[in-house]
Amino acid sequence: MIYFDNSATTPIFPQSLDAYVKTSQRIIGNPSSLHDLGNQANRLLQQARKQIAELIEVTPEEVYFTSGGTEGDNWVVKGSMIEKREYGNHMIISGIEHPAVSETAEQLKALGVEVSIVPVDEHGFVRIDELEKLIRKDTVLISIMAVNNEVGSIQPILEISKLLNAYPKIHFHVDAVQAIGKVPLNEWLTERVDFATFSAHKFHGPRGIGFIYWKKGRRLAPLLNGGGQEKNQRSGTENVPAIVAMAKALRIALERKNQKPDHTKNLKEALIQALKSYDKVTIFSEGNSYAPHILCFSLKGIRGEVLVHALEEKQIFISTTSACSSRKHLASSTLHAMCVPNDLATSAVRISLDESNSMAEVEQFMIIFKQLYKKFSTIN
């Protein structure tokens, strides 16, 4: 089996799974309980928070646990608009955001929030000049993803941060789900970025757990009310085993990235060079401005899901752009925002790599792709 769908989800590290199991078996207390079993759970919870904070170079007070990227995006977007409603009712997102942001914005729009969409250029990068034009006196939130999940374009977060230095009252949220462990975060995370969203299953942790970075001094309305966990900001009994496993996975993922910093980049480059030899292939993710682990391309005349299933029969697993939209048979919203013709957009597929992938897998993929290309050519 060749697994090239790591942007959809990653296999859990054995060490992370082991941490989850052992914590589940040994730590039975509720972190909010006053007795010693509760204190044990709370100590482990805070140790995991501290470890995650150190790994992304922020303070433990700036790390809040969630159930994953979708909750994190919803919390920051909705929480910002609720908390800052007396200051304004306008928010800005890009035209290539994950549905967790774009559909949340649509829901808020139905409730009276004004939403502006900043366009991207033909390569999938936010146009900062257009973003600046959209900022108004009543703008209270701007949400721009760090790495696009479909084509891998690395957004100009530092440049946007510099622009927003002149607008200190605007919350700046970054969906960093596809960025952590893949591209450097620390250079911009503690600058102008106020909130950032992360999900454990994107870096070999368990599903259903994540965290947000929440810059000290910023304010956010709770999304979940109840027992007052996470300093009254995110109620619900903390999933201590998953949180401990997430901290373990993040440490290992960053260590592996540091040990092989160019590994996925080299794999991707080998794939690009091989795919370029086919006339009907169009590549959308080439260059240093794209994440090293995401490769989006189209095989003209063949719908994306057809190629996905043809490769699946050979035990090679990729996806049609965003995994969250693939079952709905939707064409890539990102490619449409880039003004890519519809026939190419509906043919788009995404390969997403990881340090665990090998050059031998790349070579085997290209052998199978060559066979499928010949087969599809006879059909066309």
Side-chain angles (χ1 to χ4, degrees):
M1 182 186 79
I2 298 176
Y3 186 71
F4 279 174
D5 197 19
N6 291 281
S7 286
T9 194
T10 52
I12 190 169
F13 283 137
Q15 303 95 317
S16 179
L17 180 59
D18 184 57
Y20 182 92
V21 172
K22 288 181 177 177
T23 305
S24 298
Q25 293 172 333
R26 299 173 183 176
I27 306 299
I28 64 173
N30 186 317
S32 298
S33 297
L34 296 179
H35 49 63
D36 188 55
L37 292 178
N39 291 336
Q40 290 177 23
N42 188 56
R43 281 196 296 270
L44 207 55
L45 179 72
Q46 302 312 330
Q47 288 172 9
R49 192 190 311 275
K50 181 180 179 182
Q51 182 177 358
I52 290 170
E54 289 175 348
L55 289 168
I56 64 172
E57 298 183 17
V58 300
T59 67
E61 294 76 19
E62 294 175 314
V63 173
Y64 289 78
F65 298 120
T66 69
S67 64
T70 294
E71 183 194 330
D73 286 342
N74 272 260
W75 183 10
V76 176
V77 172
K78 293 176 181 176
S80 291
M81 299 312 297
I82 294 171
E83 183 67 29
K84 297 179 72 68
R85 63 191 181 280
E86 63 181 290
Y87 302 104
N89 193 44
H90 178 239
M91 63 178 289
I92 302 171
I93 66 172
S94 82
I96 59 169
E97 293 302 307
H98 187 277
V101 170
S102 60
E103 293 189 13
T104 298
E106 284 299 310
Q107 183 184 30
L108 290 172
K109 188 176 179 180
L111 296 173
V113 172
E114 295 187 58
V115 180
S116 295
I117 309 295
V118 59
V120 297
D121 62 22
E122 67 273 22
H123 304 294
F125 300 97
V126 167
R127 295 181 56 182
I128 299 179
D129 57 335
E130 294 297 327
L131 173 60
E132 187 171 15
K133 292 176 185 177
L134 292 173
I135 296 175
R136 308 180 338 198
K137 288 184 179 180
D138 61 340
T139 304
V140 294
L141 172 68
I142 293 176
S143 183
I144 306 291
M145 63 183 359
V147 172
N148 178 260
N149 56 305
E150 296 183 17
V151 301
S153 50
I154 303 172
Q155 299 306 314
I157 302 300
L158 277 178
E159 289 81 355
I160 296 172
S161 292
K162 292 176 182 177
L163 168 65
L164 294 184
N165 281 332
Y167 304 92
K169 294 182 179 180
I170 296 176
H171 278 182
F172 184 25
H173 168 240
V174 172
D175 179 339
V177 167
Q178 291 293 343
I180 191 165
K182 304 300 181 182
V183 300
L185 299 179
N186 299 334
E187 62 181 5
W188 55 258
L189 192 57
T190 55
E191 291 297 326
R192 181 58 182 83
V193 173
D194 299 307
F195 302 93
T197 310
F198 304 91
S199 185
H201 76 104
K202 304 297 187 179
F203 51 83
H204 300 279
R207 297 172 178 86
I209 194 70
F211 67 95
I212 65 169
Y213 160 71
W214 177 341
K215 179 178 284 186
K216 193 173 182 180
R218 286 302 198 181
R219 296 172 58 186
L220 200 62
L223 183 63
L224 301 176
N225 296 290
Q229 288 84 358
E230 295 296 286
K231 295 186 286 188
N232 290 316
Q233 299 303 318
R234 197 269 184 183
S235 293
T237 301
E238 297 93 342
N239 189 345
V240 177
I243 290 169
V244 170
M246 174 170 63
K248 172 76 77 172
L250 182 58
R251 180 180 62 78
I252 297 171
L254 295 179
E255 285 176 352
R256 291 192 177 188
K257 178 65 176 177
N258 290 334
Q259 291 167 1
K260 301 191 292 183
D262 297 322
H263 182 65
T264 55
K265 180 181 178 181
N266 293 337
L267 297 180
K268 178 180 173 180
E269 185 59 30
L271 282 165
I272 288 174
Q273 293 308 314
L275 288 168
K276 274 185 170 182
S277 64
Y278 295 91
D279 293 338
K280 295 182 180 180
V281 169
T282 301
I283 295 172
F284 302 106
S285 308
E286 184 177 6
N288 292 329
S289 296
Y290 295 88
H293 66 297
I294 295 177
L295 171 56
C296 181
F297 70 95
S298 286
L299 177 54
K300 189 175 182 180
I302 304 298
R303 290 187 65 88
E305 59 265 28
V306 174
L307 181 55
V308 166
H309 290 309
L311 287 166
E312 181 186 6
E313 290 178 1
K314 303 293 185 179
Q315 288 294 291
I316 298 175
F317 297 90
I318 65 171
S319 69
T320 53
T321 57
S322 173
C324 295
S325 301
S326 60
R327 288 191 179 273
K328 300 176 184 177
H329 303 291
L330 299 175
S332 167
S333 60
T334 297
L335 294 179
H336 280 303
M338 294 163 56
C339 297
V340 171
N342 188 64
D343 61 331
L344 289 181
T346 55
S347 299
V349 295
R350 179 188 69 186
I351 291 173
S352 45
L353 304 163
D354 182 74
E355 277 71 26
S356 62
N357 292 127
S358 67
M359 195 62 74
E361 290 178 325
V362 168
E363 293 169 356
Q364 180 63 22
F365 172 86
M366 291 311 308
I367 290 172
I368 300 300
F369 182 83
K370 181 178 181 179
Q371 296 171 0
L372 293 175
Y373 188 88
K374 289 182 178 179
K375 175 183 176 181
F376 290 142
S377 295
T378 60
I379 297 175
N380 290 340

